[in-house]
């Protein structure tokens, strides 16, 4: 597939080939919409089903049945008639639904009558001292290597943090024959207070039995220690992990530290497109303001999947279907679509145990609001103290902070520091993250080369120049 | 109870902040009213070019006065504003352009201005080694340079406050009326009364002018810029073109800012712009041709600041033609950053004394009346 083979216009553009995107594209294409799905990875599946059509890990017990459920979704999408384009980086989306996309080093602008953003989630930043040392990576990164290439962590491995993915990764590593020196559980005990009222719903949800089984499986094979302080230590690279609780101070020699404290919506594309966002206090992140069909504040643009607020892979697929049904109803009212009520009921069931999980796995303040020399912005090397001082001097928001310190202005566009900066400013100024707000994000939301941009077809430029 | 001041300055861009500072330096008590925060729009996000080169004749005296202030900027505002002087080079892409440049430089000399200097191919290559070989020469203004726009605006704001100006941010002007011998400025936090009023409201200045009964045709524009990831240092001066829209400069940190006047779509009531990638692609292609070394560079961000453009592309600077005690300072048409320091001084002089020694004929609002 070349950029030049794309049509100038599609009924629906779906951005992201995870469960939400696959389900949405499938449903819309089957209902007769001309549908294109872009994903920046060569294969579909997104993060949760990464490598679903190509993984070398063929023993189905290792990645688990929840992973392999993605195969059906992928197969469905492939036969739906939707044009699925891998290796396609969407770098811009504007409120007129002009999509900027690069494929194989060539850029194109296409127009879509509807857009479903299904760019999913990313791991929450985990800024502890030493988190930028070689040998420290995210649990998600390790899981990607396992799914896509069948790679197991090498050397003495320590996993630290909180959240379901942490335990799932530990189980997958152990099942595949890997070894884990220790799991440092940073889940604050006090979280139980706020989680408990939601326990009955959780017990009835599909997560309950799976979760318990997973915890039991991991605890049987790897030592689990509670920690409320973590530090990665080493000169050239990681050599040990220091951790502790209260006054205690322990250390463990390690070659690899995998950090994880939950996932948050990947908001960059939606914010750059002008979609209004709000603070979610339970999940401690920004999420788009959406209607019941996952339509955003920008007409014709919907956000489905975990990008709409974290709810997990199976819920993501149902959300994708709901957004796709809305697109079909708007563009082709006579088409046959699945009964939206049935889909909504399934979604409700999938979302049921969420409140309990969210409250229980809410990361501790000290792991979200670092201090001193701990780096906040890795691209521009800005420390917590610098952000703190600037806020104390009167800098009111992340956008002024950008101008003063350049934090969030590197190639990652704030993905690794945005939430931390917002929370640090809120803490210093004694206000809420909702008040402080988030970075105004600028396209390109993914870097493109000058050569790619220069490659935009001339005729298209002239056409747009006349239209505007 | 209305607040009172000697002067109300509307707009907290570089121009409003500079005027507030110079008013305070003259011992007056200004209140500056800004609807967002200082430097939120064009003043904070422009390309930062400090350029005397290639200016309209009517602006040259202001520009030269401003250059003098830029060269002592730290004395004026207590911050170097990131100002660095490596010159601006206007590159000729062919002999025909070169001939035009030659005529312009000669004409300026006849009028007594010597800051623009014609350069041949060899001097161009010396100043800008990375430029493509087909360019036959150009014009340089050696004292020109670039500064950090947001930092500059903040420095002027900070120094204005230190010198006694009051800066009200997040405050909107909702009405203007004459009340006896003073102007009554209605704002979102109550009225302010002052005998003098400065309209430095940038992309919103036409509304202030209209409220004063002096409507003026003004475009709201949003010139786009894009910036690359860091590259090894390869160019010192700011480079601009005449035939095609391009301005080009490498910052201290290695990133390269590419602009030149292609426009985004502005939504001034929402403080928002929508980038037009098709037009940025034209800039990308121009850079591709002119600086082969840039082809593999990565674009990490594009943005646009909202500002005002007058029909004749030069600003409105001077007293109102209809309202006593009112002074206009807007419409800088995408090249107001360098003019900020001196224009503030001139406005303060006008407000305080009723006259200025810096020639600003040709910039009056009266020119739009028929």
């Amino acid at each position: 597939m070349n950029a030049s083979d794309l049509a100038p216009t599609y009924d629906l553009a779906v951005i992201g080939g995870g469960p939400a995107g696959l389900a949405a594209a499938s449903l819309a294409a089957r209902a007769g919409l001309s549908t294109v799905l872009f994903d920046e990875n060569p294969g579909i599946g997104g993060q949760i089903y990464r490598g679903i059509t190509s993984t070398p890990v063929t023993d189905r017990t290792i990645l688990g049945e929840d992973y392999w459920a993605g195969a059906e979704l992928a197969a469905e999408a492939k036969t739906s008639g939707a044009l699925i384009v891998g290796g396609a980086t969407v770098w811009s989306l504007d409120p007129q639904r002009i999509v900027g996309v690069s494929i194989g080093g060539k850029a194109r602008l296409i127009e879509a009558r509807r857009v479903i953003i299904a760019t999913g989630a990313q791991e929450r930043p985990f800024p502890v001292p030493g988190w930028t040392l070689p040998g420290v990576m995210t649990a998600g990164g390790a899981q990607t290597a396992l799914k896509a290439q069948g790679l197991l962590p090498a050397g003495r491995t320590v996993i630290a943090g909180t959240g379901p993915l942490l335990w799932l990764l530990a189980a997958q590593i152990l099942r595949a024959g890997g070894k884990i020196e220790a799991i440092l559980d940073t889940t604050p005990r006090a979280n139980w207070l706020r989680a408990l009222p939601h326990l009955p719903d959780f017990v009835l949800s599909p997560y309950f039995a799976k979760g318990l089984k997973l915890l039991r499986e991991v605890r049987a094979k790897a030592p689990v220690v509670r920690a409320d302080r973590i530090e990665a230590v080493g000169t050239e690279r990681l050599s040990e992990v220091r951790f502790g609780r209260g006054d205690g101070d322990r250390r463990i020699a390690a070659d690899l530290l995998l950090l994880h404290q939950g996932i948050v919506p990947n908001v960059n594309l939606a914010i750059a497109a002008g979609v209004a966002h709000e603070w979610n206090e339970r999940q401690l992140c920004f999420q788009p303001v959406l209607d019941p069909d996952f339509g955003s504040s920008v007409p014709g643009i919907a956000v489905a999947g975990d990008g709409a607020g974290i709810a997990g892979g199976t819920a993501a697929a149902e959300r994708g279907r709901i957004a796709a049904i809305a697109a079909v109803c708007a563009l082709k009212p006579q088409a046959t679509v699945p009964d939206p009520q049935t889909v909504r009921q399934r979604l409700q069931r999938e979302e049921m145990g969420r409140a309990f999980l969210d409250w229980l796995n809410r990361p501790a303040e000290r792991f979200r609001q670092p201090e001193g020399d701990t780096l906040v912005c890795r691209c521009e090397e800005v420390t917590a103290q610098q952000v703190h001082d600037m806020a104390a001097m009167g800098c009111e928001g992340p956008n002024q902070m950008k101008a003063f310190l350049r934090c969030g202005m590197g190639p990652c566009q704030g993905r690794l520091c945005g939430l931390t900066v917002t929370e640090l400013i809120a803490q210093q100024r004694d206000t809420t993250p909702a008040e402080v707000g988030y970075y105004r994000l600028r396209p390109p939301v993914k870097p493109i080369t000058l050569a790619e941009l220069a490659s935009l077809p001339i005729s298209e430029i002239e056409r747009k120049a006349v239209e505007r | 109870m209305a607040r009172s001041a000697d002067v109300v300055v509307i707009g907290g861009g570089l121009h409003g902040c500079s005027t507030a500072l110079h008013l305070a330096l003259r011992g007056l008590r200004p209140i500056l009213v800004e609807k967002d925060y200082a430097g939120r729009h064009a003043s904070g996000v422009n390309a930062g070019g400090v350029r005397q080169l290639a200016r309209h004749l009517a602006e040259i005296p202001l520009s030269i006065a401003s250059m003098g202030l830029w060269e002592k900027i730290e004395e004026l505002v207590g911050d170097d504003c990131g100002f660095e002087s490596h010159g601006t080079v206007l590159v000729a892409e062919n002999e025909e352009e070169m001939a035009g440049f030659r005529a312009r430089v000669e004409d300026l000399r006849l009028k007594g201005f010597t800051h623009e200097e014609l350069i041949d191919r060899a001097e161009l290559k010396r100043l800008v080694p990375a430029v493509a070989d087909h360019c036959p020469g150009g014009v340089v203004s050696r004292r020109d340079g670039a500064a950090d726009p947001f930092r500059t605006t903040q420095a002027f704001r900070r120094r204005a406050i230190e010198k006694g100006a009051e800066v009200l941010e997040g405050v909107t002007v909702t009405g203007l009326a004459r009340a006896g011998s003073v102007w009554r400025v209605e704002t979102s936090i109550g009225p302010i009364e002052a005998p003098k009023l400065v309209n430095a409201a940038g992309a919103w200045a036409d509304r202030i002018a209209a409220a004063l009964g002096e409507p003026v045709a003004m475009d709201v524009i949003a010139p786009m810029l894009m910036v690359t990831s860091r590259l090894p240092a390869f160019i010192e001066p700011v480079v601009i073109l005449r035939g095609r829209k391009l301005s080009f400069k490498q910052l201290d940190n290695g990133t390269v800012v590419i602009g030149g006047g292609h426009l985004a779509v502005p939504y001034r009531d929402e403080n928002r712009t929508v980038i037009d990638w098709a037009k940025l692609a034209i800039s990308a292609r121009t850079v591709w041709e002119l600086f082969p070394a840039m082809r593999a560079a990565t674009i990490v961000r594009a943005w646009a600041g909202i500002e005002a453009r007058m029909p004749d592309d030069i600003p409105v600077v001077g007293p109102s033609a209809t309202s006593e005690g009112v002074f206009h300072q807007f419409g800088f048409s995408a090249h107001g950053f360098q003019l900020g320091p001196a224009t503030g001084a001139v406005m303060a002089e006008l407000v305080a004394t009723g006259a200025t020694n810096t020639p600003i004929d040709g910039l009056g609002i009266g020119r739009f009346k028929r």
Side-chain angles (χ1 to χ4, degrees), chain A residues 380 409 413 443 448 450 456, chain B residues 230 277 285 297 299-302:
Chain A
E380 298 289 332
M409 292 183 83
Q413 287 247 12
I448 51 168
L450 188 93
L456 271 183
Chain B
R230 296 172 187 210
W277 284 102
R285 205 163 295 131
I299 306 294
V300 297
R301 197 164 52 251

Side-chain angles (χ1 to χ4, degrees), chain B residues 12-330:
Chain B
L14 177 58
H15 280 272
C17 290
S18 174
T19 298
L21 167 60
H22 284 100
L23 286 166
L25 288 173
R26 283 178 173 271
L28 295 170
R29 268 186 329 106
I31 292 182
L32 184 151
V33 182
E34 161 58 45
K35 73 181 186 65
D36 297 302
Y37 56 83
R40 164 70 176 85
H41 298 285
S43 288
V45 300
N46 66 74
V50 176
R51 169 176 67 81
Q52 303 176 91
L53 186 68
R55 283 193 177 269
H56 189 284
L57 265 180
E59 284 181 351
I60 290 179
L62 259 185
S63 180
I64 289 174
S66 230
M67 209 62 226
L69 293 181
W70 276 107
E71 285 169 344
K72 316 179 287 193
I73 198 78
E74 188 154 10
E75 255 173 70
L76 183 63
V77 296
D79 186 313
D80 68 20
C81 298
F83 173 63
E84 286 203 17
S85 168
H86 297 292
T88 304
V89 175
L90 171 62
V91 175
E93 293 194 82
N94 52 53
E95 288 298 341
E96 197 187 334
E97 274 189 3
M98 200 59 197
F101 293 174
R102 194 170 293 120
R104 150 94 177 180
V105 172
E106 277 165 19
D107 181 52
L108 283 185
R109 282 195 191 264
L110 287 175
K111 295 185 164 78
F113 299 120
T114 56
H115 57 284
E116 294 193 10
E117 188 186 317
L118 203 68
I119 52 171
D120 61 10
R121 190 185 299 269
E123 178 66 356
L124 175 64
K125 264 290 181 192
R126 193 185 72 78
L127 289 172
V128 192
V131 77
D133 292 330
H134 68 269
C135 301
V139 183
V140 65
S141 172
R142 298 189 192 267
R143 282 165 67 199
D144 289 9
D148 179 335
F150 188 73
R151 185 168 153 193
T152 303
T153 308
Q154 288 294 317
F156 273 82
R157 168 192 174 276
R158 204 165 46 237
R159 181 50 64 95
I161 294 170
E162 284 165 16
K163 295 293 173 188
E166 194 175 343
V167 174
L168 305 175
E169 295 175 293
V171 175
T172 314
V173 172
T174 54
L176 292 165
R178 193 76 188 168
S181 62
V182 297
W183 285 98
R184 189 176 165 92
V185 181
E186 302 290 346
T187 77
S188 50
I189 58 163
I192 309 170
E193 291 182 346
K196 302 280 169 65
L197 200 62
V198 175
N199 174 17
W204 294 264
D206 57 340
R207 292 181 179 165
I208 301 295
L212 291 163
E214 198 169 23
V216 63
M218 179 196 100
D219 275 342
V220 176
I221 58 165
M224 292 186 288
L225 293 166
M226 54 184 168
V227 65
T228 69
S229 54
R230 296 172 187 210
L231 299 168
F234 75 101
I235 185 169
E236 286 195 326
V238 180
V239 169
I240 59 175
L241 294 184
R242 166 57 52 82
R244 298 190 277 180
K245 291 177 176 174
L246 183 74
S247 83
F248 185 88
K249 133 172 113 266
Q250 186 169 30
L251 304 181
D252 260 4
N253 63 18
T255 62
V256 175
V257 177
I258 300 167
H262 285 296
L263 301 178
V265 184
Y267 296 88
R268 67 169 157 172
D269 292 323
E270 299 163 42
N271 282 351
R272 200 165 60 81
T273 59
V274 174
I275 296 295
D276 187 337
W277 284 102
K279 292 199 190 117
L280 279 181
I282 300 173
S283 301
R285 205 163 295 131
T286 308
V287 174
W288 163 281
E289 288 167 17
L290 223 56
F291 296 100
M294 285 285 298
R295 291 179 184 181
T298 299
I299 306 294
V300 297
R301 197 164 52 251
W303 70 95
I306 306 178
E307 61 172 294
R309 180 172 67 193
M310 305 314 293
D312 53 6
D313 264 324
I314 52 173
V316 177
V317 176
S320 156
T322 54
S323 302
E324 199 196 325
V326 173
F327 300 84
H328 294 297
Q329 182 183 8
F330 66 86

